[in-house]
Amino acid sequence: MFDYKLLAALAAVVEQAGFDRAAQRLGLSQSAVSQRIKLLEARLGQPVLLRATPPKPTEVGRRLLNHVQQVRLLERDLQAQVPQLDDSHLPERLRIALNSDSLATWWAPAVAPFCAAHGVVLDHVLEDQDVGLKRMRAGEVAACVCAVERPLGGARSEFLGAMRYRALASPAFVERHLRDAPPAEALLRAPAIVFGPDDQLQHRYLASLGLEGPFSHHLCPSSEGFVRLIQSGLGWGLVPELQVQELYRSGALVDVYSGPPIDVRLYWHHWRNGGELLAEFTRQLQRSAGQWLVG
Amino acid sequence: MFDYKLLAALAAVVEQAGFDRAAQRLGLSQSAVSQRIKLLEARLGQPVLLRATPPKPTEVGRRLLNHVQQVRLLERDLQAQVPQLDDSHLPERLRIALNSDSLATWWAPAVAPFCAAHGVVLDHVLEDQDVGLKRMRAGEVAACVCAVERPLGGARSEFLGAMRYRALASPAFVERHLRDAPPAEALLRAPAIVFGPDDQLQHRYLASLGLEGPFSHHLCPSSEGFVRLIQSGLGWGLVPELQVQELYRSGALVDVYSGPPIDVRLYWHHWRNGGELLAEFTRQLQRSAGQWLVG
C-alpha cells in the first residue's frame, strides 16, 4: 500500500493552496507537512510539487492527487457500510469544477435537495466550460460540468442540457455604438466584455456573423460583474438567458443584433469508480438539470 | 535602456497565461516568444518564469513585470502629448485587481463614465480583499481595490468607503438548522458558505459571537453563486447588503442572528508614478465610490 499520510499531505498542500494552511487543516506543524512532501519525493525520486505560490503539482503529483480523490470517494462508501471507521464528524465534501455561469444560475437549486438530504458540502472550483476537464485530469476534482463531450479514460460523461446565451447590451450602449454603422461591423469596433483568456463565446458569435479579427474588450472574470459592466454601458457580451430574465424582460438589456441565441451544451463528467455518493449525486443531477437547461 | 522586446514577451506570457496565446497577442511564432524569454534569462543569469501551467514569474520576473506595468502607463501619457507615437488603434487597457464582491456590485457603475469618456478598457483580476496587494507587488496590475490600508513602496492608498456585510440565510435554512438550539452554537454546526481559502469573513463573524473552531462549509468562489447557494438553502454566509437589497427587503434572505453588520473598509492602491490616466481614474473613483460605499 501507498503511504497515505504522505499523499494526504500532498493533497492538503494543493487543496489549501499552501503549506501553512495545509498544516492547519491536518493539525500538523508546517515543517511536518514539508517533511512528508520531501519524503514522498525521495521515495519517488522526483518532485511532486513546484514550489510556486500557490504550490502546483507536477505531472506525477497530479497522478497521485487523482488517485487520492478516487480513494476518498471509495472510503466514503466503506464508511457508510462500516460506520465505526468514520473518524471525523465533519460532513463529506465533493470537489467539483464548473463554469461560473452555471454556478451563477441553475447549479444551486439543482443540487440543493441532494446536499441537504445527504449532508454533503461542496467545494466549487471555477473553470471555463471549454477547459474544465483539465481539473479532472489533474486529479483535483471528483466531477466537472463542461462543454466537452468526450470523457477521460476511467470517467463517464452525460449530457445535462444546454445554456442559452444572448448577445446583449444596454439601450444607451446600442444608441451610442451600434446605431449609425451597419450593426455587424459596428460590433467589431464597440468594446466587448470577455470573461477571461479561455472565453471564446464572443469570438464565436462574431464569427457567426462573418466577422474576424481582433476586437477591443474588457476582461471580467465574474458572472455577476459581467452583467454589471453590460448594464452600466461598458460593453456588449454573451449572457445566459437564465441570468438576466428580469433585465431582458424589462428592456434594461437588449439584443445587440437580430439573430438566433447561442446554445452551449453542458456535460457532466465523473469518475466511473467514484463511489456510491457520486453516483447518486449524478442520478439526481440528471433528473433536475432539465428544469433549467434546454434539452 | 532595457530591451523592451524581451520584457514585452515576458509580460505577454504572464498576462495571456501561456506561450501560445502570448505569441498570438504579439503576432509572433511561439518559438520566437520562447527565444526572447531565454535570451532575457541568459542576460540576467537567472530564470524569469517557472514553466508551470500557467507560467508563473519568479521573484526577479515579478520585478520586471512591475517595471513594464509602470513604463506602459508612462508611455500612455507621452502618447497623449505626441500622438504620432501611437502605433496601435486598440484602446488603452488598465489592469486592476479587485475583490469579487466589488465587481459584483458597485464597481461597474462607479467606473463606467470614466471608461466611456476616455475610451479605456479594463482587465479585471479577481483577488480576495485581504490579499489583493500581492498582485500589485507581483507587477501584474496597475492598481488594486483591497482591505489593507498600508501602501507598497512607490504606491499610494486612498480610502474609498466600506462594504457592509450581513450574515444571511434562507428562511427555510433558519427554520431547519437554527431554530431549536441557541442560535450562536447552532451556527457552528449548520453549513456555511465560504468564498475560498482566503475568505475569513465567516470566521471573523463567528469569532465576534465568541465562537471558535472548525465549521462545516461549502466553498464557492463566485459572488453570484454564493448568493444562489444561500437562496437555495445550502448554507449561511456573509453577503454585501448592496448585492441583495431586493432579496433582503422581500424576506427571501433573513439575518441568521441579531447583531450589527460587518463593515469591510476598502482602499484604492495605485502606483505613484502611474501616469496621468491612472491619476484621473483615481480622482473620478474617489468622487463616485461614496455613492455605493459606507463613509
Side-chain angles (χ1 to χ4, degrees), chain B residues 211-243:
Chain B
L211 299 166
E212 304 272 348
F215 56 97
S216 123
H217 59 271
H218 302 271
L219 283 179
C220 180
S222 148
S223 293
E224 179 132 14
F226 199 99
V227 172
R228 292 282 156 278
L229 292 184
I230 292 178
Q231 255 187 296
S232 302
L234 278 160
W236 68 274
L238 281 135
V239 184
E241 277 190 357
L242 279 174
Q243 201 182 341

PDB file of all heavy atoms in Angstrom, chain B residues 211-243:
ATOM      1  N   LEU B 211     -17.422  32.412  19.042  1.00  0.00           N
ATOM      2  CA  LEU B 211     -17.353  31.018  18.596  1.00  0.00           C
ATOM      3  C   LEU B 211     -16.030  30.742  17.893  1.00  0.00           C
ATOM      4  O   LEU B 211     -15.621  31.492  17.012  1.00  0.00           O
ATOM      5  CB  LEU B 211     -18.518  30.727  17.645  1.00  0.00           C
ATOM      6  CG  LEU B 211     -19.905  30.913  18.254  1.00  0.00           C
ATOM      7  CD1 LEU B 211     -20.973  30.933  17.173  1.00  0.00           C
ATOM      8  CD2 LEU B 211     -20.190  29.802  19.257  1.00  0.00           C
ATOM      9  N   GLU B 212     -15.372  29.660  18.254  1.00  0.00           N
ATOM     10  CA  GLU B 212     -14.100  29.300  17.631  1.00  0.00           C
ATOM     11  C   GLU B 212     -14.170  27.862  17.147  1.00  0.00           C
ATOM     12  O   GLU B 212     -15.069  27.126  17.508  1.00  0.00           O
ATOM     13  CB  GLU B 212     -12.953  29.419  18.649  1.00  0.00           C
ATOM     14  CG  GLU B 212     -12.816  30.775  19.302  1.00  0.00           C
ATOM     15  CD  GLU B 212     -11.938  31.738  18.510  1.00  0.00           C
ATOM     16  OE1 GLU B 212     -11.263  31.264  17.567  1.00  0.00           O
ATOM     17  OE2 GLU B 212     -11.933  32.940  18.822  1.00  0.00           O
ATOM     18  N   GLY B 213     -13.180  27.494  16.336  1.00  0.00           N
ATOM     19  CA  GLY B 213     -13.089  26.092  15.934  1.00  0.00           C
ATOM     20  C   GLY B 213     -13.581  25.877  14.522  1.00  0.00           C
ATOM     21  O   GLY B 213     -14.126  26.776  13.901  1.00  0.00           O
ATOM     22  N   PRO B 214     -13.349  24.650  13.999  1.00  0.00           N
ATOM     23  CA  PRO B 214     -13.711  24.374  12.611  1.00  0.00           C
ATOM     24  C   PRO B 214     -15.226  24.354  12.456  1.00  0.00           C
ATOM     25  O   PRO B 214     -15.948  24.049  13.403  1.00  0.00           O
ATOM     26  CB  PRO B 214     -13.123  22.982  12.366  1.00  0.00           C
ATOM     27  CG  PRO B 214     -13.050  22.358  13.713  1.00  0.00           C
ATOM     28  CD  PRO B 214     -12.830  23.474  14.698  1.00  0.00           C
ATOM     29  N   PHE B 215     -15.673  24.724  11.288  1.00  0.00           N
ATOM     30  CA  PHE B 215     -17.101  24.629  10.995  1.00  0.00           C
ATOM     31  C   PHE B 215     -17.269  24.097   9.579  1.00  0.00           C
ATOM     32  O   PHE B 215     -16.434  24.336   8.720  1.00  0.00           O
ATOM     33  CB  PHE B 215     -17.811  25.967  11.188  1.00  0.00           C
ATOM     34  CG  PHE B 215     -17.230  27.100  10.395  1.00  0.00           C
ATOM     35  CD1 PHE B 215     -17.783  27.472   9.176  1.00  0.00           C
ATOM     36  CD2 PHE B 215     -16.117  27.794  10.851  1.00  0.00           C
ATOM     37  CE1 PHE B 215     -17.251  28.512   8.432  1.00  0.00           C
ATOM     38  CE2 PHE B 215     -15.571  28.838  10.107  1.00  0.00           C
ATOM     39  CZ  PHE B 215     -16.129  29.203   8.904  1.00  0.00           C
ATOM     40  N   SER B 216     -18.345  23.380   9.361  1.00  0.00           N
ATOM     41  CA  SER B 216     -18.554  22.777   8.045  1.00  0.00           C
ATOM     42  C   SER B 216     -18.934  23.868   7.062  1.00  0.00           C
ATOM     43  O   SER B 216     -19.698  24.778   7.387  1.00  0.00           O
ATOM     44  CB  SER B 216     -19.656  21.731   8.193  1.00  0.00           C
ATOM     45  OG  SER B 216     -20.725  21.972   7.334  1.00  0.00           O
ATOM     46  N   HIS B 217     -18.343  23.803   5.856  1.00  0.00           N
ATOM     47  CA  HIS B 217     -18.664  24.862   4.893  1.00  0.00           C
ATOM     48  C   HIS B 217     -18.500  24.381   3.462  1.00  0.00           C
ATOM     49  O   HIS B 217     -17.636  23.587   3.153  1.00  0.00           O
ATOM     50  CB  HIS B 217     -17.797  26.089   5.130  1.00  0.00           C
ATOM     51  CG  HIS B 217     -16.335  25.811   5.028  1.00  0.00           C
ATOM     52  ND1 HIS B 217     -15.586  25.415   6.105  1.00  0.00           N
ATOM     53  CD2 HIS B 217     -15.479  25.851   3.991  1.00  0.00           C
ATOM     54  CE1 HIS B 217     -14.337  25.226   5.731  1.00  0.00           C
ATOM     55  NE2 HIS B 217     -14.242  25.482   4.445  1.00  0.00           N
ATOM     56  N   HIS B 218     -19.334  24.926   2.587  1.00  0.00           N
ATOM     57  CA  HIS B 218     -19.152  24.824   1.148  1.00  0.00           C
ATOM     58  C   HIS B 218     -18.119  25.867   0.734  1.00  0.00           C
ATOM     59  O   HIS B 218     -18.032  26.929   1.335  1.00  0.00           O
ATOM     60  CB  HIS B 218     -20.451  25.142   0.404  1.00  0.00           C
ATOM     61  CG  HIS B 218     -21.612  24.283   0.770  1.00  0.00           C
ATOM     62  ND1 HIS B 218     -21.889  23.106   0.136  1.00  0.00           N
ATOM     63  CD2 HIS B 218     -22.577  24.428   1.709  1.00  0.00           C
ATOM     64  CE1 HIS B 218     -22.977  22.565   0.655  1.00  0.00           C
ATOM     65  NE2 HIS B 218     -23.409  23.347   1.618  1.00  0.00           N
ATOM     66  N   LEU B 219     -17.375  25.575  -0.338  1.00  0.00           N
ATOM     67  CA  LEU B 219     -16.515  26.595  -0.944  1.00  0.00           C
ATOM     68  C   LEU B 219     -17.159  27.037  -2.247  1.00  0.00           C
ATOM     69  O   LEU B 219     -17.530  26.203  -3.078  1.00  0.00           O
ATOM     70  CB  LEU B 219     -15.126  26.032  -1.240  1.00  0.00           C
ATOM     71  CG  LEU B 219     -14.181  25.877  -0.060  1.00  0.00           C
ATOM     72  CD1 LEU B 219     -12.851  25.287  -0.534  1.00  0.00           C
ATOM     73  CD2 LEU B 219     -13.928  27.209   0.640  1.00  0.00           C
ATOM     74  N   CYS B 220     -17.260  28.360  -2.448  1.00  0.00           N
ATOM     75  CA  CYS B 220     -17.926  28.863  -3.649  1.00  0.00           C
ATOM     76  C   CYS B 220     -17.262  30.157  -4.129  1.00  0.00           C
ATOM     77  O   CYS B 220     -17.621  31.235  -3.671  1.00  0.00           O
ATOM     78  CB  CYS B 220     -19.396  29.105  -3.358  1.00  0.00           C
ATOM     79  SG  CYS B 220     -20.264  29.731  -4.800  1.00  0.00           S
ATOM     80  N   PRO B 221     -16.287  30.053  -5.034  1.00  0.00           N
ATOM     81  CA  PRO B 221     -15.534  31.242  -5.456  1.00  0.00           C
ATOM     82  C   PRO B 221     -16.261  32.060  -6.516  1.00  0.00           C
ATOM     83  O   PRO B 221     -15.695  32.371  -7.549  1.00  0.00           O
ATOM     84  CB  PRO B 221     -14.243  30.640  -6.011  1.00  0.00           C
ATOM     85  CG  PRO B 221     -14.658  29.315  -6.540  1.00  0.00           C
ATOM     86  CD  PRO B 221     -15.803  28.838  -5.684  1.00  0.00           C
ATOM     87  N   SER B 222     -17.500  32.431  -6.277  1.00  0.00           N
ATOM     88  CA  SER B 222     -18.290  33.244  -7.207  1.00  0.00           C
ATOM     89  C   SER B 222     -19.296  34.012  -6.380  1.00  0.00           C
ATOM     90  O   SER B 222     -20.036  33.427  -5.582  1.00  0.00           O
ATOM     91  CB  SER B 222     -19.016  32.331  -8.203  1.00  0.00           C
ATOM     92  OG  SER B 222     -20.254  32.887  -8.596  1.00  0.00           O
ATOM     93  N   SER B 223     -19.334  35.353  -6.549  1.00  0.00           N
ATOM     94  CA  SER B 223     -20.254  36.173  -5.742  1.00  0.00           C
ATOM     95  C   SER B 223     -21.700  35.821  -6.020  1.00  0.00           C
ATOM     96  O   SER B 223     -22.513  35.721  -5.108  1.00  0.00           O
ATOM     97  CB  SER B 223     -20.039  37.660  -6.026  1.00  0.00           C
ATOM     98  OG  SER B 223     -18.786  38.064  -5.558  1.00  0.00           O
ATOM     99  N   GLU B 224     -22.026  35.651  -7.290  1.00  0.00           N
ATOM    100  CA  GLU B 224     -23.415  35.340  -7.611  1.00  0.00           C
ATOM    101  C   GLU B 224     -23.765  33.919  -7.166  1.00  0.00           C
ATOM    102  O   GLU B 224     -24.832  33.685  -6.612  1.00  0.00           O
ATOM    103  CB  GLU B 224     -23.666  35.503  -9.117  1.00  0.00           C
ATOM    104  CG  GLU B 224     -25.080  35.169  -9.496  1.00  0.00           C
ATOM    105  CD  GLU B 224     -25.723  36.216 -10.392  1.00  0.00           C
ATOM    106  OE1 GLU B 224     -25.009  37.077 -10.936  1.00  0.00           O
ATOM    107  OE2 GLU B 224     -26.952  36.161 -10.539  1.00  0.00           O
ATOM    108  N   GLY B 225     -22.826  32.970  -7.389  1.00  0.00           N
ATOM    109  CA  GLY B 225     -23.058  31.608  -6.936  1.00  0.00           C
ATOM    110  C   GLY B 225     -23.259  31.558  -5.426  1.00  0.00           C
ATOM    111  O   GLY B 225     -24.090  30.798  -4.920  1.00  0.00           O
ATOM    112  N   PHE B 226     -22.497  32.377  -4.701  1.00  0.00           N
ATOM    113  CA  PHE B 226     -22.589  32.467  -3.237  1.00  0.00           C
ATOM    114  C   PHE B 226     -24.029  32.762  -2.813  1.00  0.00           C
ATOM    115  O   PHE B 226     -24.601  32.088  -1.953  1.00  0.00           O
ATOM    116  CB  PHE B 226     -21.648  33.593  -2.787  1.00  0.00           C
ATOM    117  CG  PHE B 226     -21.243  33.565  -1.353  1.00  0.00           C
ATOM    118  CD1 PHE B 226     -20.015  33.037  -0.981  1.00  0.00           C
ATOM    119  CD2 PHE B 226     -22.055  34.109  -0.368  1.00  0.00           C
ATOM    120  CE1 PHE B 226     -19.610  33.042   0.347  1.00  0.00           C
ATOM    121  CE2 PHE B 226     -21.668  34.105   0.960  1.00  0.00           C
ATOM    122  CZ  PHE B 226     -20.438  33.569   1.322  1.00  0.00           C
ATOM    123  N   VAL B 227     -24.618  33.783  -3.447  1.00  0.00           N
ATOM    124  CA  VAL B 227     -25.994  34.158  -3.113  1.00  0.00           C
ATOM    125  C   VAL B 227     -26.972  33.067  -3.538  1.00  0.00           C
ATOM    126  O   VAL B 227     -27.912  32.747  -2.805  1.00  0.00           O
ATOM    127  CB  VAL B 227     -26.356  35.516  -3.754  1.00  0.00           C
ATOM    128  CG1 VAL B 227     -27.831  35.828  -3.579  1.00  0.00           C
ATOM    129  CG2 VAL B 227     -25.501  36.613  -3.160  1.00  0.00           C
ATOM    130  N   ARG B 228     -26.730  32.454  -4.709  1.00  0.00           N
ATOM    131  CA  ARG B 228     -27.619  31.371  -5.165  1.00  0.00           C
ATOM    132  C   ARG B 228     -27.594  30.207  -4.174  1.00  0.00           C
ATOM    133  O   ARG B 228     -28.616  29.606  -3.890  1.00  0.00           O
ATOM    134  CB  ARG B 228     -27.189  30.847  -6.530  1.00  0.00           C
ATOM    135  CG  ARG B 228     -27.342  31.762  -7.694  1.00  0.00           C
ATOM    136  CD  ARG B 228     -28.751  31.867  -8.227  1.00  0.00           C
ATOM    137  NE  ARG B 228     -28.891  33.129  -8.914  1.00  0.00           N
ATOM    138  CZ  ARG B 228     -29.134  34.303  -8.322  1.00  0.00           C
ATOM    139  NH1 ARG B 228     -29.347  34.361  -7.029  1.00  0.00           N
ATOM    140  NH2 ARG B 228     -29.192  35.412  -9.006  1.00  0.00           N
ATOM    141  N   LEU B 229     -26.407  29.848  -3.657  1.00  0.00           N
ATOM    142  CA  LEU B 229     -26.331  28.735  -2.700  1.00  0.00           C
ATOM    143  C   LEU B 229     -27.112  29.080  -1.432  1.00  0.00           C
ATOM    144  O   LEU B 229     -27.811  28.231  -0.875  1.00  0.00           O
ATOM    145  CB  LEU B 229     -24.880  28.422  -2.337  1.00  0.00           C
ATOM    146  CG  LEU B 229     -23.967  27.827  -3.416  1.00  0.00           C
ATOM    147  CD1 LEU B 229     -22.603  27.486  -2.825  1.00  0.00           C
ATOM    148  CD2 LEU B 229     -24.549  26.579  -4.046  1.00  0.00           C
ATOM    149  N   ILE B 230     -27.008  30.327  -0.981  1.00  0.00           N
ATOM    150  CA  ILE B 230     -27.735  30.733   0.226  1.00  0.00           C
ATOM    151  C   ILE B 230     -29.236  30.710  -0.038  1.00  0.00           C
ATOM    152  O   ILE B 230     -30.011  30.158   0.745  1.00  0.00           O
ATOM    153  CB  ILE B 230     -27.263  32.127   0.699  1.00  0.00           C
ATOM    154  CG1 ILE B 230     -25.821  32.035   1.201  1.00  0.00           C
ATOM    155  CG2 ILE B 230     -28.184  32.674   1.789  1.00  0.00           C
ATOM    156  CD1 ILE B 230     -25.236  33.351   1.659  1.00  0.00           C
ATOM    157  N   GLN B 231     -29.645  31.278  -1.179  1.00  0.00           N
ATOM    158  CA  GLN B 231     -31.064  31.293  -1.537  1.00  0.00           C
ATOM    159  C   GLN B 231     -31.645  29.886  -1.603  1.00  0.00           C
ATOM    160  O   GLN B 231     -32.800  29.666  -1.269  1.00  0.00           O
ATOM    161  CB  GLN B 231     -31.213  31.891  -2.934  1.00  0.00           C
ATOM    162  CG  GLN B 231     -31.744  33.295  -2.985  1.00  0.00           C
ATOM    163  CD  GLN B 231     -31.992  33.671  -4.441  1.00  0.00           C
ATOM    164  OE1 GLN B 231     -31.048  33.731  -5.229  1.00  0.00           O
ATOM    165  NE2 GLN B 231     -33.236  33.927  -4.799  1.00  0.00           N
ATOM    166  N   SER B 232     -30.813  28.936  -2.093  1.00  0.00           N
ATOM    167  CA  SER B 232     -31.294  27.565  -2.249  1.00  0.00           C
ATOM    168  C   SER B 232     -31.239  26.783  -0.938  1.00  0.00           C
ATOM    169  O   SER B 232     -31.504  25.592  -0.924  1.00  0.00           O
ATOM    170  CB  SER B 232     -30.473  26.836  -3.315  1.00  0.00           C
ATOM    171  OG  SER B 232     -30.557  27.515  -4.535  1.00  0.00           O
ATOM    172  N   GLY B 233     -30.819  27.446   0.144  1.00  0.00           N
ATOM    173  CA  GLY B 233     -30.849  26.794   1.448  1.00  0.00           C
ATOM    174  C   GLY B 233     -29.679  25.875   1.721  1.00  0.00           C
ATOM    175  O   GLY B 233     -29.734  25.035   2.615  1.00  0.00           O
ATOM    176  N   LEU B 234     -28.560  26.028   0.973  1.00  0.00           N
ATOM    177  CA  LEU B 234     -27.399  25.163   1.203  1.00  0.00           C
ATOM    178  C   LEU B 234     -26.553  25.614   2.390  1.00  0.00           C
ATOM    179  O   LEU B 234     -25.763  24.832   2.908  1.00  0.00           O
ATOM    180  CB  LEU B 234     -26.523  25.127  -0.049  1.00  0.00           C
ATOM    181  CG  LEU B 234     -26.998  24.155  -1.115  1.00  0.00           C
ATOM    182  CD1 LEU B 234     -26.414  24.508  -2.461  1.00  0.00           C
ATOM    183  CD2 LEU B 234     -26.602  22.740  -0.724  1.00  0.00           C
ATOM    184  N   GLY B 235     -26.651  26.878   2.766  1.00  0.00           N
ATOM    185  CA  GLY B 235     -25.832  27.328   3.884  1.00  0.00           C
ATOM    186  C   GLY B 235     -26.106  28.783   4.217  1.00  0.00           C
ATOM    187  O   GLY B 235     -26.942  29.436   3.578  1.00  0.00           O
ATOM    188  N   TRP B 236     -25.394  29.269   5.245  1.00  0.00           N
ATOM    189  CA  TRP B 236     -25.460  30.693   5.597  1.00  0.00           C
ATOM    190  C   TRP B 236     -24.119  31.321   5.230  1.00  0.00           C
ATOM    191  O   TRP B 236     -23.115  30.623   5.091  1.00  0.00           O
ATOM    192  CB  TRP B 236     -25.739  30.871   7.100  1.00  0.00           C
ATOM    193  CG  TRP B 236     -24.602  30.415   7.973  1.00  0.00           C
ATOM    194  CD1 TRP B 236     -24.374  29.151   8.426  1.00  0.00           C
ATOM    195  CD2 TRP B 236     -23.530  31.220   8.466  1.00  0.00           C
ATOM    196  NE1 TRP B 236     -23.221  29.108   9.165  1.00  0.00           N
ATOM    197  CE2 TRP B 236     -22.688  30.375   9.217  1.00  0.00           C
ATOM    198  CE3 TRP B 236     -23.212  32.573   8.359  1.00  0.00           C
ATOM    199  CZ2 TRP B 236     -21.528  30.833   9.857  1.00  0.00           C
ATOM    200  CZ3 TRP B 236     -22.061  33.046   9.006  1.00  0.00           C
ATOM    201  CH2 TRP B 236     -21.231  32.169   9.739  1.00  0.00           C
ATOM    202  N   GLY B 237     -24.104  32.652   5.057  1.00  0.00           N
ATOM    203  CA  GLY B 237     -22.837  33.316   4.755  1.00  0.00           C
ATOM    204  C   GLY B 237     -22.979  34.826   4.792  1.00  0.00           C
ATOM    205  O   GLY B 237     -24.097  35.355   4.861  1.00  0.00           O
ATOM    206  N   LEU B 238     -21.820  35.508   4.771  1.00  0.00           N
ATOM    207  CA  LEU B 238     -21.822  36.974   4.808  1.00  0.00           C
ATOM    208  C   LEU B 238     -21.895  37.535   3.399  1.00  0.00           C
ATOM    209  O   LEU B 238     -21.047  37.236   2.557  1.00  0.00           O
ATOM    210  CB  LEU B 238     -20.588  37.473   5.557  1.00  0.00           C
ATOM    211  CG  LEU B 238     -20.832  37.335   7.066  1.00  0.00           C
ATOM    212  CD1 LEU B 238     -19.652  36.748   7.767  1.00  0.00           C
ATOM    213  CD2 LEU B 238     -21.261  38.658   7.670  1.00  0.00           C
ATOM    214  N   VAL B 239     -22.895  38.350   3.167  1.00  0.00           N
ATOM    215  CA  VAL B 239     -23.208  38.851   1.826  1.00  0.00           C
ATOM    216  C   VAL B 239     -23.244  40.377   1.880  1.00  0.00           C
ATOM    217  O   VAL B 239     -23.751  40.949   2.847  1.00  0.00           O
ATOM    218  CB  VAL B 239     -24.590  38.323   1.385  1.00  0.00           C
ATOM    219  CG1 VAL B 239     -24.902  38.749  -0.036  1.00  0.00           C
ATOM    220  CG2 VAL B 239     -24.670  36.819   1.532  1.00  0.00           C
ATOM    221  N   PRO B 240     -22.706  41.048   0.838  1.00  0.00           N
ATOM    222  CA  PRO B 240     -22.798  42.511   0.813  1.00  0.00           C
ATOM    223  C   PRO B 240     -24.259  42.953   0.722  1.00  0.00           C
ATOM    224  O   PRO B 240     -24.996  42.446  -0.117  1.00  0.00           O
ATOM    225  CB  PRO B 240     -22.068  42.906  -0.482  1.00  0.00           C
ATOM    226  CG  PRO B 240     -21.338  41.702  -0.936  1.00  0.00           C
ATOM    227  CD  PRO B 240     -22.024  40.514  -0.347  1.00  0.00           C
ATOM    228  N   GLU B 241     -24.653  43.893   1.569  1.00  0.00           N
ATOM    229  CA  GLU B 241     -26.015  44.440   1.501  1.00  0.00           C
ATOM    230  C   GLU B 241     -26.356  44.901   0.096  1.00  0.00           C
ATOM    231  O   GLU B 241     -27.453  44.690  -0.406  1.00  0.00           O
ATOM    232  CB  GLU B 241     -26.137  45.640   2.457  1.00  0.00           C
ATOM    233  CG  GLU B 241     -26.421  45.255   3.885  1.00  0.00           C
ATOM    234  CD  GLU B 241     -26.763  46.475   4.733  1.00  0.00           C
ATOM    235  OE1 GLU B 241     -26.726  47.619   4.223  1.00  0.00           O
ATOM    236  OE2 GLU B 241     -27.067  46.279   5.915  1.00  0.00           O
ATOM    237  N   LEU B 242     -25.379  45.557  -0.572  1.00  0.00           N
ATOM    238  CA  LEU B 242     -25.596  46.096  -1.915  1.00  0.00           C
ATOM    239  C   LEU B 242     -26.069  45.034  -2.896  1.00  0.00           C
ATOM    240  O   LEU B 242     -26.743  45.327  -3.872  1.00  0.00           O
ATOM    241  CB  LEU B 242     -24.270  46.637  -2.474  1.00  0.00           C
ATOM    242  CG  LEU B 242     -23.791  48.015  -2.069  1.00  0.00           C
ATOM    243  CD1 LEU B 242     -22.400  48.238  -2.644  1.00  0.00           C
ATOM    244  CD2 LEU B 242     -24.756  49.082  -2.576  1.00  0.00           C
ATOM    245  N   GLN B 243     -25.645  43.774  -2.657  1.00  0.00           N
ATOM    246  CA  GLN B 243     -25.896  42.732  -3.645  1.00  0.00           C
ATOM    247  C   GLN B 243     -27.276  42.108  -3.503  1.00  0.00           C
ATOM    248  O   GLN B 243     -27.761  41.476  -4.439  1.00  0.00           O
ATOM    249  CB  GLN B 243     -24.813  41.639  -3.492  1.00  0.00           C
ATOM    250  CG  GLN B 243     -24.651  40.776  -4.730  1.00  0.00           C
ATOM    251  CD  GLN B 243     -23.620  39.684  -4.521  1.00  0.00           C
ATOM    252  OE1 GLN B 243     -22.800  39.783  -3.610  1.00  0.00           O
ATOM    253  NE2 GLN B 243     -23.664  38.676  -5.350  1.00  0.00           N
TER     254      GLN B 243
END
